[in-house]
Amino acid sequence: MTAKTPEAGAVTTGDDGRGDRLRAGWSEPKPETIPQPTAAPAAVALGVTLIAFGGLTSSVVSVVGALLAAGALFRWLTEMHDAAEE
């Protein structure tokens, strides 16, 4: 049995014992956890779509779209801010 050697330019990650290899100059990606899934981006997109569609149909549709987009954007940014504090 032969021991595997790191490829040229590869660097081991260190003391965690996993033996993962990173390319030279690379580091562990941050954050190590991903944010929780949210429907806010889809709601923002729907709101923008309603704003555009309201331009063709009725200003009421545009107002509903603007309210939806603003509320969803606020929620999305709030969730991102809360996740960053954790």
Side-chain angles (χ1 to χ4, degrees):
M1 226 180 199
T2 59
K4 292 184 179 182
T5 58
E7 298 174 10
V11 178
T12 58
T13 56
D15 58 337
D16 62 357
R18 293 184 298 169
D20 295 337
R21 294 188 186 107
L22 298 172
R23 293 184 182 187
W26 287 26
S27 62
E28 287 289 327
K30 302 290 182 206
E32 293 180 357
T33 59
I34 59 172
Q36 293 294 321
T38 179
V44 171
L46 178 62
V48 171
T49 302
L50 287 175
I51 292 170
F53 189 66
L56 299 173
T57 58
S58 170
S59 60
V60 174
V61 177
S62 289
V63 170
V64 169
L67 292 173
L68 177 64
L73 184 61
F74 178 77
R75 179 179 174 123
W76 190 9
L77 293 174
T78 302
E79 289 175 2
M80 288 179 14
H81 183 270
D82 292 344
E85 288 182 347
E86 291 178 354

